[in-house]
Amino acid sequence: MDINNNSKPHYFGHRSRMKDKFLASGFDGFADYEILEFALFFAIERIDVKPLAKELIKKFGSVKQVLDADFEELMKFPGLSRHSAVFLTFLREMSGYYSYLDIKSPQSLGSPEAVVDYLITVLSGEKIEKFYVVLLDAGNKVIESKEIESGTVNKSIVMPRKIAEIALTNKASAVIIAHNHPGGTMKPSQHDIDATAAVKKALKALDISLLDHVIVSGNKYLSFREYNLI
């Protein structure tokens, strides 16, 4: 009788097989819960985390929504320790930082598509309104990206001055501004339009161009430039 074999858990070797599959083809062929399960391998040792991954997706809706969840929400979820909740929060923040490094790399030309992808990454899951500024040099390379406000702010009064100061300090030649609409609509309000015009005017006085204002809602965006609003 093979006692050792009979005592092995049903998931014995599963992690190794999943890692081999990932190395061979990335996440091609992975179900959503398997992607989350794979991530949890690195936060929770020696147990079958598949049921936990499935329950997390059942609760939050998708892998993205799990990663977008607040740390406090994750801490309350049965089966997640503080270490695991920190790790999932880290994954979200790391994805935004990776996108930022991509647009800021010496090889990057700050293409509109790359900048928009970055802004979607950092803003799409936010539950409160946040306002970002992306600063570019004369060659359209990204100098810096900053979150400059969060929550409800009077953009038409506060933003023009603050953005102009930041752009001048960083010797930017051009600026892209962005904010998110947590409520789900991408339609710019009259307040958004007025604030954009005020920012453009403040920057023009310093001979700095406002290239675009991007509104992010979920995984979608609206570009003021594409809609001739700037």
Side-chain angles (χ1 to χ4, degrees):
M1 181 176 181
D2 190 345
I3 297 177
N4 290 331
N5 187 60
N6 290 340
S7 64
K8 290 177 181 178
H10 68 89
Y11 53 85
F12 184 80
H14 176 63
R15 293 190 178 202
S16 180
R17 291 190 294 273
M18 289 278 281
K19 289 173 183 177
D20 288 343
K21 181 180 177 181
F22 170 75
L23 289 173
S25 56
F27 284 132
D28 287 349
F30 276 64
D32 273 5
Y33 77 84
E34 290 177 316
I35 294 174
L36 187 56
E37 177 190 6
F38 189 85
L40 290 170
F41 288 167
F42 303 95
I44 303 173
E45 298 181 354
R46 295 186 295 276
I47 67 168
D48 182 7
V49 293
K50 183 186 293 184
L52 176 59
K54 289 183 174 180
E55 286 301 312
L56 281 164
I57 289 180
K58 182 178 178 181
K59 164 70 175 177
F60 293 101
S62 67
V63 173
K64 183 181 186 305
Q65 289 171 304
V66 172
L67 297 181
D68 284 342
D70 293 335
F71 175 74
E72 290 75 17
E73 290 181 276
L74 294 172
M75 279 289 291
K76 294 175 184 176
F77 196 86
L80 283 183
S81 65
R82 184 176 187 277
H83 173 75
S84 304
V86 168
F87 181 72
L88 291 175
T89 304
F90 158 78
L91 288 180
R92 179 185 67 229
E93 295 299 320
M94 191 63 183
S95 66
Y97 186 60
Y98 177 83
S99 296
Y100 172 64
L101 291 176
D102 184 42
I103 64 170
K104 200 172 182 293
S105 69
Q107 292 76 31
S108 174
L109 293 177
S111 71
E113 294 81 8
V115 172
V116 167
D117 286 346
Y118 159 71
L119 292 169
I120 290 174
T121 299
V122 297
L123 287 171
S124 63
E126 294 292 344
K127 296 176 177 60
I128 61 172
E129 187 171 314
K130 293 194 173 184
F131 204 100
Y132 270 71
V133 59
V134 180
L135 309 169
L136 301 98
D137 65 16
N140 270 356
K141 291 184 179 179
V142 174
I143 300 170
E144 187 65 88
S145 171
K146 294 177 180 287
E147 177 191 324
I148 57 174
E149 289 289 346
S150 63
T152 302
V153 294
N154 191 335
K155 293 185 283 292
S156 60
I157 296 175
V158 178
M159 291 301 163
R161 181 176 66 253
K162 181 175 284 191
I163 292 170
E165 289 174 354
I166 291 172
L168 196 60
T169 299
N170 286 273
K171 299 179 180 178
S173 294
V175 168
I176 295 171
I177 57 177
H179 75 285
N180 61 311
H181 281 179
T185 177
M186 287 186 296
K187 183 179 179 180
S189 66
Q190 189 59 49
H191 199 100
D192 293 332
I193 294 170
D194 293 344
T196 304
V199 170
K200 183 177 181 179
K201 182 178 179 181
L203 291 173
K204 186 177 181 180
L206 301 173
D207 199 27
I208 299 172
S209 301
L210 179 61
L211 297 183
D212 205 352
H213 183 173
V214 177
I215 295 176
V216 173
S217 182
N219 288 322
K220 298 181 180 179
Y221 76 96
L222 179 141
S223 160
F224 273 48
R225 179 162 294 282
E226 290 178 6
Y227 279 82
N228 296 315
L229 295 172
I230 196 170

